[in-house]
DNA sequence: CTCTTCTTTTGACTGATTCAAGAAAAGGAG
DNA sequence: CTCCTTTTCTTGAATCAGTCAAAAGAAGAG
């Protein structure tokens, strides 16, 4: 579990000022991986009721730009954030309940960037989203 | 190019009623792959000025549910639609201009579904989004 | 401690998408 | 061909995520 001190250090390391909203946002994202902006806002306000939604959005963007958090947005859902960055992992999304879980890159880093230069595009990242059913929804469907 | 007759047949095949808005929407998506809802609406109205935006949204949803069109939504962009379905292809998205192009599955079908059952999820589809620069933006960056 | 600069607050606003109720049209039965 | 039922469309308002802008407020350098 990240302590506030660790969070502050992480912010300073990327050259960001340490402010209450930012610390709270980063802590919230760390504690609730794959949370959307609304959830982050709610969680942040639990410990810091006065923050504006604007500050939360701004913090999320700033942190995402700095590479401290990552923003993902599967089809049909609002933006979600997570603190696990830089390790090329992907996501499984439940078609039924929208639950998201992390999946380590299964086919190796090389394969993830295959298809480079198709159509002349210069590709620098491959994002993989697996779609299916989470254990709970899967069980609910097979035993109605 | 899809004729209206082909479009009507496609609608009937999946058990949908054939209506003017639906035919127009399907034709528009076929003619403009990767168009967003707003563009589809504009294109549809070129030939059918009276349609409501609601009808277009509804048609897109219905067609997507029926599997006639596919909806994709890369991070940071609005929903986009295409008629190419059922062939497991993926997309390259330009980081700069947002342009989207199709990419055939590069690593073979098997690899695309590797990672099955991680976290107990039952995975039925893998969606891959490649991020990079399109030829135009790539050229603009290297020769300023 | 003071100043400059970056952040937050506040509050209004945009643009995409959805909700709801009645009117209209599609397709099957007679 | 006409009527009837059901689905679909229109209209108009509402919601929701996210953004813009100006002024007030903190963080950190010197």
């Amino acid at each position: 579990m990240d302590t506030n001190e660790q969070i502050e250090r992480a912010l300073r390391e990327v050259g960001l000022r340490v402010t209450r909203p930012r610390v709270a946002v980063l802590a919230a994202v760390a504690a609730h991986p794959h949370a959307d902006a609304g959830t982050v806002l709610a969680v942040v306000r639990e410990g810091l009721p006065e923050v504006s939604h604007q500050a939360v959005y701004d913090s999320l963007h700033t942190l995402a730009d700095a590479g401290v958090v990552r923003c993902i947005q599967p089809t049909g859902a609002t933006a979600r954030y997570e603190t696990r960055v830089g390790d090329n992992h992907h996501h499984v999304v439940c078609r039924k309940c929208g639950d998201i879980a992390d999946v380590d890159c299964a086919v190796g880093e090389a394969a993830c960037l295959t298809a480079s230069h198709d159509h002349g595009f210069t590709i620098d990242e491959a994002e993989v989203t697996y779609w299916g059913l989470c254990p709970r929804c899967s069980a609910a469907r097979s035993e109605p």
Side-chain angles (χ1 to χ4, degrees), chain A residues 4 24 37 63 71 75 78 81 111 137:
Chain A
N4 271 30
L63 293 171
C71 170
T75 300
T78 56
Y81 300 86
C137 293

Short mmCIF file of all heavy atoms in Angstrom, two decimals, chain A residues 4 24 37 63 71 75 78 81 111 137:
data_model
loop_
_atom_site.label_atom_id
_atom_site.label_comp_id
_atom_site.label_asym_id
_atom_site.label_seq_id
_atom_site.Cartn_x
_atom_site.Cartn_y
_atom_site.Cartn_z
N ASN A 4 1.58 8.11 1.93
CA ASN A 4 1.58 9.46 1.39
C ASN A 4 2.99 9.91 1.04
O ASN A 4 3.19 10.65 0.08
CB ASN A 4 0.97 10.43 2.42
CG ASN A 4 -0.52 10.52 2.24
OD1 ASN A 4 -1.15 9.55 1.81
ND2 ASN A 4 -1.09 11.66 2.57
N ALA A 24 -4.16 13.06 -3.12
CA ALA A 24 -5.40 12.31 -2.89
C ALA A 24 -5.81 11.55 -4.14
O ALA A 24 -6.26 10.40 -4.07
CB ALA A 24 -6.51 13.28 -2.46
N ALA A 37 -13.41 8.39 -13.66
CA ALA A 37 -13.21 9.71 -13.09
C ALA A 37 -14.21 10.01 -11.97
O ALA A 37 -13.85 10.57 -10.94
CB ALA A 37 -13.30 10.78 -14.18
N LEU A 63 -1.24 13.84 -14.21
CA LEU A 63 -0.58 12.59 -13.82
C LEU A 63 -0.45 11.66 -15.02
O LEU A 63 0.56 10.97 -15.18
CB LEU A 63 -1.37 11.91 -12.70
CG LEU A 63 -1.38 12.66 -11.36
CD1 LEU A 63 -2.36 12.02 -10.39
CD2 LEU A 63 0.02 12.70 -10.76
N CYS A 71 -4.39 5.99 -18.58
CA CYS A 71 -5.82 6.15 -18.84
C CYS A 71 -6.24 5.12 -19.88
O CYS A 71 -5.62 5.00 -20.93
CB CYS A 71 -6.08 7.57 -19.34
SG CYS A 71 -7.72 7.83 -19.97
N THR A 75 -14.46 0.40 -25.17
CA THR A 75 -15.71 0.75 -25.86
C THR A 75 -16.88 0.76 -24.90
O THR A 75 -17.10 -0.19 -24.16
CB THR A 75 -15.98 -0.28 -26.96
OG1 THR A 75 -14.89 -0.25 -27.87
CG2 THR A 75 -17.27 0.03 -27.69
N THR A 78 -16.68 4.88 -19.68
CA THR A 78 -15.99 6.16 -19.52
C THR A 78 -14.53 5.87 -19.17
O THR A 78 -14.17 4.75 -18.85
CB THR A 78 -16.66 6.99 -18.41
OG1 THR A 78 -16.67 6.21 -17.23
CG2 THR A 78 -18.07 7.34 -18.80
N TYR A 81 -8.71 4.81 -14.89
CA TYR A 81 -7.31 5.11 -14.60
C TYR A 81 -6.68 4.03 -13.73
O TYR A 81 -7.35 3.40 -12.93
CB TYR A 81 -7.23 6.47 -13.90
CG TYR A 81 -7.77 7.58 -14.75
CD1 TYR A 81 -9.13 7.88 -14.74
CD2 TYR A 81 -6.94 8.31 -15.59
CE1 TYR A 81 -9.65 8.88 -15.55
CE2 TYR A 81 -7.44 9.32 -16.39
CZ TYR A 81 -8.80 9.60 -16.37
OH TYR A 81 -9.30 10.58 -17.18
N ALA A 111 5.77 -9.74 -30.25
CA ALA A 111 4.55 -9.97 -30.99
C ALA A 111 3.56 -8.81 -30.82
O ALA A 111 2.79 -8.50 -31.71
CB ALA A 111 3.90 -11.27 -30.54
N CYS A 137 -20.08 -13.38 -13.50
CA CYS A 137 -21.11 -13.37 -14.54
C CYS A 137 -21.13 -14.70 -15.29
O CYS A 137 -22.18 -15.17 -15.72
CB CYS A 137 -20.86 -12.22 -15.51
SG CYS A 137 -21.10 -10.61 -14.77
#
